[in-house]
Amino acid sequence: MADAEAVPTALKVLVAGGFGVGKTTLVSSVSEIMPLTTEEMLTDAGVSADSTDGVEQKTTTTVAMDFGRITIDDDLVLYLFGTPGQERFWFLWDELARGALGAVVLADTRRLADCFPAVDYFERHGTPMLIAVNCFDGDQRFSVEAVRTALDLEKTVPVMLCDARRRESSKQVLIALVEHVLTMRTAGRHQTVAG
Ligand SMILES: Nc1nc2c(ncn2[C@@H]2O[C@H](COP(=O)(O)OP(=O)(O)O)[C@@H](O)[C@H]2O)c(=O)[nH]1
Ligand SMILES: [Mg+2]
């Protein structure tokens, strides 16, 4: 298919993790386009469909979501979607995860537990993921292996260090995720998420 070769493949990648872990920072540092932060008012009906304890009284709310793009090479463009961290927006995750190549889960070793929900979600949905430990000013309290153990990750899930503020570092994370997905697919251990 000569035509297909002329156009780069565009793939969707999710950037997840707890609040304040550096999702917006990573998307901003690496994106070629002005990162977009969308704000949407959710209607009462939209919220109630997935509301859990304590949020029912809210009629409208604001959703901030990061969106960016990075060209890896002539053949590959990644579209980055930062996932909303707040638990009341879990219903958006299913929409976001649909058709995603994989996910970067950002972790802060000072608050490692904050990324549990994201790790759990991607495990349950069979979405390939990579854990990127964002080293706030070199404040890396645990080794990559300690993070792996603490998160109880499968051996195949890559864990790496990064500095979300640095473009090159963020890019390496995304390249590593793509390579991980390719490895998993080649090994036939990964089943594509239904899309
Ligand atoms: N020192 C330091 N600060 C960072 C780093 N990454 C993010 N930050 C800061 O941490 C705060 C939260 O980051 P942000 O990207 O907004 O987190 P988000 O909630 O995951 O989107 C911001 O003030 C960032 O400037 C980092 O690697 N080092
Ligand atoms: Mg953010």
Side-chain angles (χ1 to χ4, degrees), residues 112 116 142 144-153:
L112 204 52
F116 285 172
F142 303 99
V144 157
E145 274 315 307
V147 170
R148 174 185 300 287
T149 304
L151 295 179
D152 195 19
L153 298 172

Side-chain angles (χ1 to χ4, degrees), residues 18-26 66 134-137 163-165:
F19 182 74
V21 77
K23 299 181 294 294
T24 300
T25 304
L26 184 140
D66 306 307
N134 192 17
C135 301
F136 287 82
D137 293 326
D163 184 338
R165 295 166 302 178

Side-chain angles (χ1 to χ4, degrees), residues 26 29-30 70-72 166-176:
L26 184 140
S29 77
V30 91
I70 177 173
T71 303
I72 299 293
R166 289 181 42 235
R167 175 180 163 80
E168 196 50 40
S169 179
S170 299
K171 187 172 175 180
Q172 288 309 316
V173 166
L174 294 167
I175 290 172

